[in-house]
Amino acid sequence: YNEYKSYLRIMTTIGVYADEGASTWCVTCVIQSLSELLPSANIKPITAADIRPDLRAEYRCIVFPGGRDKPYQEHLAGLRNRYIKDYVESGGRYLGICAGAYYGCSEIVFCEGDETMEIKEKRELGFFRGCGRGPVFGDFDYQSERGALIVRVRNDRSEEQEVYFNGGCYFTPESEVTQFTVLRRYC
């Protein structure tokens, strides 16, 4: 993570999606963490209405935090997802955390085998050409922290750190995809 801090410092305005699907708690944690890491940055909550063709003019990065991927899809499908894709293709940055990570994939598989929570669907953004599959660890419950854990992740230099985990995914690339960089692996 520290290797990206210097890059992140140059960002001026970061939009954190705080609309349908985004967990209020996750939005608060992301805004607080980014504000501490990047004290000179302007961290702003954004809504679906803020996803417009001119994103690049206002935001250096947009962050989709934890919550629920399906409402992201329901509120952003079509034109707003096109704006997000255009924004990234023109040099903007997308940071997906938990539900936002699932949402950035071309396909998601969530809670496979659980008839009340299972999601197996395609997604429009497709920043990661493959599947976000999870949760990786333990149980998951939208209404509680029952499945929350502290897990260890490791970078390519074998440096480990502990992170909060609650329902997150791992990534499986499409068979023809060979160009991607793994930043962290679960230990």
Side-chain angles (χ1 to χ4, degrees):
Y1 179 77
N2 287 333
E3 60 267 31
Y4 301 100
K5 247 180 163 174
S6 60
Y7 169 76
L8 291 172
R9 262 193 209 104
I10 67 168
M11 295 181 177
T12 53
T13 302
I14 300 171
V16 178
Y17 191 75
D19 209 340
E20 293 294 321
S23 156
T24 303
W25 184 78
C26 291
V27 169
T28 300
C29 289
V30 167
I31 290 173
Q32 179 180 347
S33 296
L34 288 172
S35 296
E36 289 172 10
L37 287 168
L38 308 165
S40 64
N42 178 19
I43 315 297
K44 294 175 42 171
I46 61 174
T47 66
D50 296 311
I51 306 296
R52 300 179 310 266
D54 61 348
L55 278 173
R56 185 82 166 98
E58 189 167 352
Y59 301 101
R60 294 291 301 273
C61 181
I62 55 173
V63 180
F64 278 72
R68 296 177 185 235
D69 155 89
K70 275 188 87 83
Y72 290 173
Q73 178 66 16
E74 291 164 6
H75 288 84
L76 300 169
L79 193 56
R80 288 194 169 100
N81 276 338
R82 181 73 254 160
Y83 295 155
I84 294 169
K85 283 187 80 139
D86 290 347
Y87 163 78
V88 170
E89 289 168 0
S90 69
R93 302 289 185 251
Y94 174 98
L95 174 61
I97 301 169
C98 198
Y102 283 100
Y103 191 60
C105 295
S106 56
E107 178 183 4
I108 69 165
V109 174
F110 181 74
C111 287
E112 188 171 25
D114 182 324
E115 62 188 48
T116 61
M117 294 194 343
E118 180 178 272
I119 302 170
K120 288 184 177 180
E121 296 178 354
K122 302 285 185 192
R123 290 291 177 261
E124 294 175 328
L125 293 179
F127 296 133
F128 178 76
R129 288 187 35 225
C131 185
R133 182 181 294 273
V136 175
F137 301 107
D139 295 330
F140 179 77
D141 180 8
Y142 281 115
Q143 306 307 318
S144 76
E145 293 291 304
R146 181 176 50 120
L149 304 165
I150 299 298
V151 299
R152 297 190 69 75
V153 293
R154 178 182 305 123
N155 66 16
D156 61 352
R157 294 183 307 277
S158 296
E159 299 165 333
E160 293 185 11
Q161 69 186 119
E162 293 182 332
V163 297
Y164 170 85
F165 176 92
N166 193 11
C169 62
Y170 67 93
F171 303 98
T172 306
E174 293 173 358
S175 60
E176 70 277 5
V177 175
T178 58
Q179 295 292 321
F180 58 90
T181 302
V182 176
L183 301 177
R184 298 286 187 271
R185 295 182 188 276
Y186 296 110
C187 296

